[in-house]
């Protein structure tokens, strides 16, 4: 049985199955990237809810694994060379899990880097820009009388959707016929933009039929449907 006692986070969130990969997360766009990836690969794991309402992301135990106080984070008891490995940052976790399982990241070097390129497009553009739009449209920023900040992110969200619209023309997935970690990274954020953030009309989502088509295909996957609800509230 794996010994996780050296990791403070395992004390706050005890593992019922210490030989399985441990996921510390919430069902947010970044969080579900990893739960969907785990469902897609079939890798055994145990999910732990990190409660923002209880400020658990700022606890010393969580910060010991994720010093940037962001979810998701993982603790793999069967890491490289058989040693436990902790990781934070969803993009890094996706690459790690793809390489660990040999799934959802092309083996061909050119296709591999092209996939990572689109993963970085999400990490550096889609996530931050859609998130800012959510703040200014749905959360505290919606009360600002000056709508120029909101409109800046509306314009940028539309631009990013336009990039995706062009990419998806004639394609089933980001990389064509092959479903990859790039899809797992991007489509939860698109779903959140038009769902939870309720910004579909604001960004003119009807102008992006290819994006709509692929988003529908993505959420129809059984593994995605399961991953979107993990971790479930206690």
């Amino acid at each position: 049985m794996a010994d996780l006692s050296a990791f403070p986070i395992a004390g706050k969130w005890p593992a019922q199955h210490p030989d399985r990969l441990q996921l510390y997360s919430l069902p947010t766009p970044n969080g579900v990237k990893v739960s969907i990836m785990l469902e897609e690969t079939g890798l055994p794991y145990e999910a732990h809810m990190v409660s923002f309402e209880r400020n658990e992301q700022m606890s010393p135990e969580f910060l010991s694994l994720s010093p940037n106080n962001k979810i998701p984070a993982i603790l793999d008891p069967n890491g490289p060379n058989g040693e436990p490995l902790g990781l934070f940052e969803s993009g890094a976790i996706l690459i790690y899990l793809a390489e660990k399982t040999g799934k959802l990241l092309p083996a061909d070097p050119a296709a591999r880097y092209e996939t990572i390129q689109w993963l970085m497009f999400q990490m550096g553009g889609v996530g931050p820009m859609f998130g800012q739009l959510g703040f200014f449209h749905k959360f505290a920023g919606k009360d600002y009388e000056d709508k120029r900040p909101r409109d800046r992110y509306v314009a940028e969200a539309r631009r990013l959707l336009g990039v995706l619209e062009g990419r998806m023309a004639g394609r089933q997935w980001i990389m064509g016929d092959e479903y990859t970690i790039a899809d797992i990274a991007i489509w939860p954020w698109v779903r959140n933009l038009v769902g939870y953030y309720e910004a579909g009309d604001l960004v003119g989502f009807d102008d992006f039929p290819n994006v709509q088509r692929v988003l529908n295909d993505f959420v129809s996957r059984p593994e995605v449907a399961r991953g979107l609800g993990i971790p479930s509230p206690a």
Side-chain angles (χ1 to χ4, degrees):
M1 181 176 292
D3 182 7
L4 303 181
S5 61
F7 295 86
I9 197 166
K12 185 172 180 63
W13 287 277
Q16 299 298 312
H17 305 281
D19 291 329
R20 300 180 186 178
L21 185 143
Q22 305 294 305
L23 169 65
Y24 309 92
S25 191
L26 282 172
T28 66
N30 282 333
V32 299
K33 292 180 201 174
V34 178
S35 54
I36 290 170
M37 180 68 176
L38 289 166
E39 290 293 322
E40 293 277 7
T41 60
L43 194 64
Y45 71 100
E46 182 176 352
H48 305 275
M49 173 75 78
V50 180
S51 172
F52 280 18
E53 291 182 359
R54 296 194 294 269
N55 215 32
E56 289 181 337
Q57 78 278 13
M58 298 303 297
S59 66
E61 294 88 352
F62 186 75
L63 292 172
S64 71
L65 184 60
S66 182
N68 197 34
N69 68 270
K70 304 295 183 185
I71 60 94
I74 64 167
L75 176 54
D76 185 358
N78 303 299
N81 302 315
E83 296 295 325
L85 175 69
L87 281 178
F88 69 99
E89 281 294 336
S90 58
I93 295 171
L94 288 180
I95 294 172
Y96 171 72
L97 294 176
E99 293 184 340
K100 178 182 177 71
T101 60
K103 297 178 179 179
L104 302 177
L105 184 61
D108 173 74
R112 180 179 186 274
Y113 283 111
E114 189 177 354
T115 303
I116 293 173
Q117 162 190 270
W118 285 99
L119 170 62
M120 297 305 155
F121 168 78
Q122 182 277 304
M123 297 293 294
V126 167
M129 296 301 104
F130 287 13
Q132 290 290 346
L133 177 52
F135 173 80
F136 284 105
H137 178 58
K138 180 166 183 175
F139 300 111
K142 72 179 185 301
D143 296 326
Y144 295 179
E145 291 185 9
D146 187 348
K147 296 305 178 185
R148 285 175 295 179
R150 184 204 66 180
D151 293 345
R152 176 180 187 271
Y153 292 112
V154 169
E156 183 63 5
R158 276 190 59 85
R159 187 189 71 79
L160 292 166
L161 288 169
V163 173
L164 283 174
E165 180 70 12
R167 177 66 177 181
M168 301 320 302
R171 291 175 179 268
Q172 181 178 6
W173 301 111
I174 291 291
M175 291 299 295
D177 292 337
E178 187 173 358
Y179 176 80
T180 68
I181 59 173
D183 298 290
I184 294 174
I186 289 170
W187 301 112
W189 272 104
V190 178
R191 173 180 177 269
N192 210 63
L193 178 71
V194 299
Y196 186 61
Y197 290 163
E198 302 173 344
D201 289 342
L202 194 62
V203 300
F205 196 59
D206 288 345
D207 296 337
F208 306 101
N210 290 321
V211 173
Q212 293 183 45
R213 166 181 55 83
V214 182
L215 175 61
N216 289 335
D217 289 345
F218 177 74
V219 299
S220 296
R221 294 177 68 90
E223 299 85 357
V224 170
R226 292 195 299 268
L228 286 171
I230 296 172
S232 59

